Amino acid sequence: MSEPLMATYKRLPVTFARGEGAWLWDTEGRRYLDALSGIAVCGLGHAHPAVREALCDQAGSLIHTSNIYRIAAQEVLGETLTTLAGMDRVFFANSGAEANEAAIKLARLHAHRRGIESPAILVMEASFHGRTLATLSATGNRKVQAGFEPLVQGFVRVPYNDLAAVESAAALRPNLAAVLVEPIQGEGGINLPADDYLVRLRELCDRHGWLLMLDEIQTGMGRTGRLFAHQHAEIRPDVMTLAKGLGNGVPIGACLARGPAAEVLGPGSHGSTFGGNPLACRAAQAVLRTIADEHLCERAAEMGAYLQAGLRRALAGLPEVCEVRGRGLMIGIELDRPCGDLVGLALEAGLLINVTAERVIRLLPPLILARDQADLLVAELSRLIRDFLGGAERTGAEV
Ligand SMILES: *Cc1c(COP(=O)(O)O)cnc(C)c1O
């Protein structure tokens, strides 16, 4: 058979046929516990009736018209989302990278209007903002950028969770116009900054007249136990991007803005053929309603704490386990060695997990995860980790 797909992904040897809640079944009928949710996308789990009903209903009347007309579902979603986020306006895109592209364009336009000729955006080491040219240039991971030079200019990078570095950059760069940062770094290894990091960044942005732009594409939509992760810090950004969990699998991204930043993009300055189409907006509306109706933020907070405590207990005494960390249902287990092989071993055991930053096991289970499923996850994963570490030691002893 020819290979029609570009080799952009090293795919695991499994094909899923259907899902229900936190469970997936492959084409052979084998069942898997999904502790990844399609990388923080299916927060409501698979085949949630609220999303299915919204999609079926909308597909039966209209899927797409165009943004050159008014779109009722987009206006309703825009109202809901801006109200929930305490923001003024929203632009709808189709993905996370596109939402960040809108934020980057907005920041540049905002700066130009204020007389900054060649504006720069402060970004962080180990960040991830997407795979388009501007967003990979903003991303703090050489692997994402290598080979795609020349990169987009206008990004200044500092270490994450380092306010002194931000102050130094401010002193050196009068052209800084915005900060783009994840409240918790996801791809970078589930990196949590100090509790006051966002508060202090907010203060620095206010002092220097920068836009605080939060990439909540992975942390948003209830994942960390609040609808948006920055709500833990009780600050508000000027710009916030969302995607992943917003449509529960239906592609949709959003760039929200507040105050003067919300008025920057006008007719002709940005656009999208598909962005904010009726189908995607109905899905996102159903997601927001369900998160509220089923108290999924509270549930993520509670189940996340339960899961973290369970993992700490089950992994206690293993010196190879450096740290169990996270917030809500965004959890990382850092080992002292690369552990990418665990993904395949877990798959064989009927468990879907991820490893990021080489040594960090990443768990992003659906927000609807039940207690017995959390128990199963802890039991299975801790067994796999113990076997993996034990096996590695045996191999070491044989050499
Ligand atoms: C996934 C992710 C993106 C990119 O989203 P895509 O939909 O894949 O373009 C950007 N930022 C963060 C923090 C992400 O986790």
PDB file of all heavy atoms in Angstrom, residues 146-170:
ATOM      1  N   ALA A 146      13.650  24.396  14.044  1.00  0.00           N
ATOM      2  CA  ALA A 146      14.803  24.006  13.224  1.00  0.00           C
ATOM      3  C   ALA A 146      14.406  23.687  11.787  1.00  0.00           C
ATOM      4  O   ALA A 146      13.499  22.889  11.536  1.00  0.00           O
ATOM      5  CB  ALA A 146      15.505  22.807  13.863  1.00  0.00           C
ATOM      6  N   GLY A 147      15.079  24.333  10.867  1.00  0.00           N
ATOM      7  CA  GLY A 147      14.849  24.084   9.450  1.00  0.00           C
ATOM      8  C   GLY A 147      13.868  25.039   8.808  1.00  0.00           C
ATOM      9  O   GLY A 147      13.731  25.065   7.598  1.00  0.00           O
ATOM     10  N   PHE A 148      13.194  25.825   9.641  1.00  0.00           N
ATOM     11  CA  PHE A 148      12.163  26.713   9.096  1.00  0.00           C
ATOM     12  C   PHE A 148      12.603  28.180   9.068  1.00  0.00           C
ATOM     13  O   PHE A 148      11.790  29.076   8.866  1.00  0.00           O
ATOM     14  CB  PHE A 148      10.845  26.535   9.848  1.00  0.00           C
ATOM     15  CG  PHE A 148      10.341  25.118   9.756  1.00  0.00           C
ATOM     16  CD1 PHE A 148      10.334  24.287  10.863  1.00  0.00           C
ATOM     17  CD2 PHE A 148       9.923  24.604   8.536  1.00  0.00           C
ATOM     18  CE1 PHE A 148       9.903  22.963  10.761  1.00  0.00           C
ATOM     19  CE2 PHE A 148       9.494  23.291   8.422  1.00  0.00           C
ATOM     20  CZ  PHE A 148       9.482  22.460   9.538  1.00  0.00           C
ATOM     21  N   GLU A 149      13.903  28.393   9.244  1.00  0.00           N
ATOM     22  CA  GLU A 149      14.431  29.747   9.180  1.00  0.00           C
ATOM     23  C   GLU A 149      14.286  30.285   7.754  1.00  0.00           C
ATOM     24  O   GLU A 149      14.285  29.486   6.809  1.00  0.00           O
ATOM     25  CB  GLU A 149      15.909  29.760   9.602  1.00  0.00           C
ATOM     26  CG  GLU A 149      16.165  29.305  11.037  1.00  0.00           C
ATOM     27  CD  GLU A 149      16.188  27.784  11.179  1.00  0.00           C
ATOM     28  OE1 GLU A 149      16.061  27.082  10.154  1.00  0.00           O
ATOM     29  OE2 GLU A 149      16.327  27.299  12.306  1.00  0.00           O
ATOM     30  N   PRO A 150      14.178  31.571   7.513  1.00  0.00           N
ATOM     31  CA  PRO A 150      14.232  32.612   8.533  1.00  0.00           C
ATOM     32  C   PRO A 150      12.945  32.673   9.363  1.00  0.00           C
ATOM     33  O   PRO A 150      11.845  32.593   8.821  1.00  0.00           O
ATOM     34  CB  PRO A 150      14.401  33.897   7.712  1.00  0.00           C
ATOM     35  CG  PRO A 150      13.813  33.584   6.368  1.00  0.00           C
ATOM     36  CD  PRO A 150      14.048  32.122   6.149  1.00  0.00           C
ATOM     37  N   LEU A 151      13.145  32.804  10.679  1.00  0.00           N
ATOM     38  CA  LEU A 151      12.002  32.902  11.577  1.00  0.00           C
ATOM     39  C   LEU A 151      11.382  34.300  11.504  1.00  0.00           C
ATOM     40  O   LEU A 151      12.008  35.237  11.013  1.00  0.00           O
ATOM     41  CB  LEU A 151      12.441  32.617  13.021  1.00  0.00           C
ATOM     42  CG  LEU A 151      13.078  31.248  13.260  1.00  0.00           C
ATOM     43  CD1 LEU A 151      13.427  31.083  14.745  1.00  0.00           C
ATOM     44  CD2 LEU A 151      12.165  30.114  12.816  1.00  0.00           C
ATOM     45  N   VAL A 152      10.170  34.406  11.990  1.00  0.00           N
ATOM     46  CA  VAL A 152       9.510  35.707  12.081  1.00  0.00           C
ATOM     47  C   VAL A 152      10.213  36.515  13.175  1.00  0.00           C
ATOM     48  O   VAL A 152      10.472  35.995  14.265  1.00  0.00           O
ATOM     49  CB  VAL A 152       8.012  35.530  12.409  1.00  0.00           C
ATOM     50  CG1 VAL A 152       7.346  36.872  12.665  1.00  0.00           C
ATOM     51  CG2 VAL A 152       7.307  34.803  11.273  1.00  0.00           C
ATOM     52  N   GLN A 153      10.534  37.752  12.866  1.00  0.00           N
ATOM     53  CA  GLN A 153      11.236  38.596  13.836  1.00  0.00           C
ATOM     54  C   GLN A 153      10.260  39.176  14.849  1.00  0.00           C
ATOM     55  O   GLN A 153       9.059  39.027  14.720  1.00  0.00           O
ATOM     56  CB  GLN A 153      11.914  39.753  13.103  1.00  0.00           C
ATOM     57  CG  GLN A 153      12.954  39.288  12.120  1.00  0.00           C
ATOM     58  CD  GLN A 153      13.656  40.460  11.462  1.00  0.00           C
ATOM     59  OE1 GLN A 153      13.263  41.613  11.640  1.00  0.00           O
ATOM     60  NE2 GLN A 153      14.698  40.170  10.716  1.00  0.00           N
ATOM     61  N   GLY A 154      10.846  39.854  15.833  1.00  0.00           N
ATOM     62  CA  GLY A 154       9.992  40.601  16.745  1.00  0.00           C
ATOM     63  C   GLY A 154       9.604  39.830  17.996  1.00  0.00           C
ATOM     64  O   GLY A 154       8.598  40.146  18.620  1.00  0.00           O
ATOM     65  N   PHE A 155      10.396  38.806  18.335  1.00  0.00           N
ATOM     66  CA  PHE A 155      10.161  38.113  19.607  1.00  0.00           C
ATOM     67  C   PHE A 155      11.432  38.193  20.452  1.00  0.00           C
ATOM     68  O   PHE A 155      12.535  37.989  19.940  1.00  0.00           O
ATOM     69  CB  PHE A 155       9.777  36.644  19.388  1.00  0.00           C
ATOM     70  CG  PHE A 155       8.459  36.479  18.668  1.00  0.00           C
ATOM     71  CD1 PHE A 155       8.423  36.149  17.333  1.00  0.00           C
ATOM     72  CD2 PHE A 155       7.261  36.706  19.344  1.00  0.00           C
ATOM     73  CE1 PHE A 155       7.209  36.020  16.659  1.00  0.00           C
ATOM     74  CE2 PHE A 155       6.043  36.578  18.684  1.00  0.00           C
ATOM     75  CZ  PHE A 155       6.015  36.234  17.332  1.00  0.00           C
ATOM     76  N   VAL A 156      11.260  38.497  21.710  1.00  0.00           N
ATOM     77  CA  VAL A 156      12.374  38.549  22.655  1.00  0.00           C
ATOM     78  C   VAL A 156      12.100  37.483  23.700  1.00  0.00           C
ATOM     79  O   VAL A 156      10.999  37.415  24.247  1.00  0.00           O
ATOM     80  CB  VAL A 156      12.448  39.938  23.330  1.00  0.00           C
ATOM     81  CG1 VAL A 156      13.475  39.934  24.447  1.00  0.00           C
ATOM     82  CG2 VAL A 156      12.759  41.011  22.293  1.00  0.00           C
ATOM     83  N   ARG A 157      13.102  36.629  23.945  1.00  0.00           N
ATOM     84  CA  ARG A 157      12.843  35.476  24.808  1.00  0.00           C
ATOM     85  C   ARG A 157      13.543  35.592  26.159  1.00  0.00           C
ATOM     86  O   ARG A 157      14.699  36.013  26.223  1.00  0.00           O
ATOM     87  CB  ARG A 157      13.316  34.206  24.100  1.00  0.00           C
ATOM     88  CG  ARG A 157      12.769  32.921  24.696  1.00  0.00           C
ATOM     89  CD  ARG A 157      13.148  31.701  23.867  1.00  0.00           C
ATOM     90  NE  ARG A 157      12.768  31.833  22.464  1.00  0.00           N
ATOM     91  CZ  ARG A 157      11.515  31.775  22.010  1.00  0.00           C
ATOM     92  NH1 ARG A 157      10.527  31.579  22.835  1.00  0.00           N
ATOM     93  NH2 ARG A 157      11.264  31.913  20.723  1.00  0.00           N
ATOM     94  N   VAL A 158      12.820  35.231  27.207  1.00  0.00           N
ATOM     95  CA  VAL A 158      13.415  35.173  28.551  1.00  0.00           C
ATOM     96  C   VAL A 158      13.021  33.839  29.189  1.00  0.00           C
ATOM     97  O   VAL A 158      12.076  33.191  28.746  1.00  0.00           O
ATOM     98  CB  VAL A 158      12.918  36.343  29.447  1.00  0.00           C
ATOM     99  CG1 VAL A 158      13.408  37.686  28.927  1.00  0.00           C
ATOM    100  CG2 VAL A 158      11.409  36.332  29.580  1.00  0.00           C
ATOM    101  N   PRO A 159      13.725  33.425  30.248  1.00  0.00           N
ATOM    102  CA  PRO A 159      13.331  32.197  30.943  1.00  0.00           C
ATOM    103  C   PRO A 159      11.933  32.351  31.548  1.00  0.00           C
ATOM    104  O   PRO A 159      11.544  33.458  31.945  1.00  0.00           O
ATOM    105  CB  PRO A 159      14.378  32.034  32.042  1.00  0.00           C
ATOM    106  CG  PRO A 159      15.534  32.868  31.609  1.00  0.00           C
ATOM    107  CD  PRO A 159      14.957  34.005  30.829  1.00  0.00           C
ATOM    108  N   TYR A 160      11.199  31.239  31.624  1.00  0.00           N
ATOM    109  CA  TYR A 160       9.868  31.224  32.239  1.00  0.00           C
ATOM    110  C   TYR A 160      10.015  31.412  33.744  1.00  0.00           C
ATOM    111  O   TYR A 160      11.016  30.981  34.335  1.00  0.00           O
ATOM    112  CB  TYR A 160       9.215  29.871  31.935  1.00  0.00           C
ATOM    113  CG  TYR A 160       7.759  29.740  32.289  1.00  0.00           C
ATOM    114  CD1 TYR A 160       6.803  30.596  31.755  1.00  0.00           C
ATOM    115  CD2 TYR A 160       7.327  28.722  33.146  1.00  0.00           C
ATOM    116  CE1 TYR A 160       5.456  30.450  32.050  1.00  0.00           C
ATOM    117  CE2 TYR A 160       5.982  28.558  33.441  1.00  0.00           C
ATOM    118  CZ  TYR A 160       5.046  29.424  32.891  1.00  0.00           C
ATOM    119  OH  TYR A 160       3.713  29.261  33.190  1.00  0.00           O
ATOM    120  N   ASN A 161       9.024  32.042  34.354  1.00  0.00           N
ATOM    121  CA  ASN A 161       9.009  32.189  35.809  1.00  0.00           C
ATOM    122  C   ASN A 161      10.216  32.968  36.326  1.00  0.00           C
ATOM    123  O   ASN A 161      10.728  32.683  37.393  1.00  0.00           O
ATOM    124  CB  ASN A 161       8.948  30.788  36.471  1.00  0.00           C
ATOM    125  CG  ASN A 161       8.622  30.857  37.952  1.00  0.00           C
ATOM    126  OD1 ASN A 161       7.993  31.801  38.409  1.00  0.00           O
ATOM    127  ND2 ASN A 161       9.054  29.856  38.687  1.00  0.00           N
ATOM    128  N   ASP A 162      10.678  33.932  35.556  1.00  0.00           N
ATOM    129  CA  ASP A 162      11.844  34.720  35.944  1.00  0.00           C
ATOM    130  C   ASP A 162      11.530  36.202  35.709  1.00  0.00           C
ATOM    131  O   ASP A 162      11.703  36.732  34.617  1.00  0.00           O
ATOM    132  CB  ASP A 162      13.053  34.268  35.104  1.00  0.00           C
ATOM    133  CG  ASP A 162      14.337  34.974  35.521  1.00  0.00           C
ATOM    134  OD1 ASP A 162      14.258  36.025  36.203  1.00  0.00           O
ATOM    135  OD2 ASP A 162      15.424  34.486  35.159  1.00  0.00           O
ATOM    136  N   LEU A 163      11.059  36.858  36.766  1.00  0.00           N
ATOM    137  CA  LEU A 163      10.624  38.246  36.631  1.00  0.00           C
ATOM    138  C   LEU A 163      11.809  39.196  36.469  1.00  0.00           C
ATOM    139  O   LEU A 163      11.701  40.216  35.785  1.00  0.00           O
ATOM    140  CB  LEU A 163       9.774  38.640  37.836  1.00  0.00           C
ATOM    141  CG  LEU A 163       8.428  37.891  37.896  1.00  0.00           C
ATOM    142  CD1 LEU A 163       7.848  37.930  39.295  1.00  0.00           C
ATOM    143  CD2 LEU A 163       7.445  38.463  36.889  1.00  0.00           C
ATOM    144  N   ALA A 164      12.949  38.842  37.080  1.00  0.00           N
ATOM    145  CA  ALA A 164      14.139  39.679  36.925  1.00  0.00           C
ATOM    146  C   ALA A 164      14.541  39.736  35.455  1.00  0.00           C
ATOM    147  O   ALA A 164      14.941  40.795  34.948  1.00  0.00           O
ATOM    148  CB  ALA A 164      15.281  39.113  37.772  1.00  0.00           C
ATOM    149  N   ALA A 165      14.415  38.612  34.761  1.00  0.00           N
ATOM    150  CA  ALA A 165      14.750  38.579  33.328  1.00  0.00           C
ATOM    151  C   ALA A 165      13.801  39.467  32.532  1.00  0.00           C
ATOM    152  O   ALA A 165      14.203  40.095  31.552  1.00  0.00           O
ATOM    153  CB  ALA A 165      14.694  37.144  32.810  1.00  0.00           C
ATOM    154  N   VAL A 166      12.549  39.529  32.963  1.00  0.00           N
ATOM    155  CA  VAL A 166      11.583  40.397  32.288  1.00  0.00           C
ATOM    156  C   VAL A 166      11.983  41.857  32.494  1.00  0.00           C
ATOM    157  O   VAL A 166      11.962  42.660  31.555  1.00  0.00           O
ATOM    158  CB  VAL A 166      10.147  40.133  32.810  1.00  0.00           C
ATOM    159  CG1 VAL A 166       9.154  41.094  32.154  1.00  0.00           C
ATOM    160  CG2 VAL A 166       9.732  38.687  32.557  1.00  0.00           C
ATOM    161  N   GLU A 167      12.380  42.183  33.721  1.00  0.00           N
ATOM    162  CA  GLU A 167      12.804  43.563  34.016  1.00  0.00           C
ATOM    163  C   GLU A 167      14.046  43.941  33.204  1.00  0.00           C
ATOM    164  O   GLU A 167      14.133  45.054  32.674  1.00  0.00           O
ATOM    165  CB  GLU A 167      13.120  43.716  35.516  1.00  0.00           C
ATOM    166  CG  GLU A 167      11.971  43.318  36.432  1.00  0.00           C
ATOM    167  CD  GLU A 167      11.422  44.495  37.223  1.00  0.00           C
ATOM    168  OE1 GLU A 167      11.484  45.629  36.698  1.00  0.00           O
ATOM    169  OE2 GLU A 167      10.941  44.273  38.355  1.00  0.00           O
ATOM    170  N   SER A 168      14.997  43.019  33.096  1.00  0.00           N
ATOM    171  CA  SER A 168      16.205  43.294  32.312  1.00  0.00           C
ATOM    172  C   SER A 168      15.848  43.531  30.854  1.00  0.00           C
ATOM    173  O   SER A 168      16.380  44.443  30.215  1.00  0.00           O
ATOM    174  CB  SER A 168      17.191  42.117  32.385  1.00  0.00           C
ATOM    175  OG  SER A 168      17.429  41.774  33.711  1.00  0.00           O
ATOM    176  N   ALA A 169      14.955  42.686  30.322  1.00  0.00           N
ATOM    177  CA  ALA A 169      14.540  42.844  28.928  1.00  0.00           C
ATOM    178  C   ALA A 169      13.876  44.205  28.733  1.00  0.00           C
ATOM    179  O   ALA A 169      14.102  44.876  27.724  1.00  0.00           O
ATOM    180  CB  ALA A 169      13.597  41.716  28.527  1.00  0.00           C
ATOM    181  N   ALA A 170      13.086  44.604  29.730  1.00  0.00           N
ATOM    182  CA  ALA A 170      12.390  45.893  29.630  1.00  0.00           C
ATOM    183  C   ALA A 170      13.389  47.039  29.542  1.00  0.00           C
ATOM    184  O   ALA A 170      13.216  47.985  28.785  1.00  0.00           O
ATOM    185  CB  ALA A 170      11.480  46.081  30.839  1.00  0.00           C
TER     186      ALA A 170
END
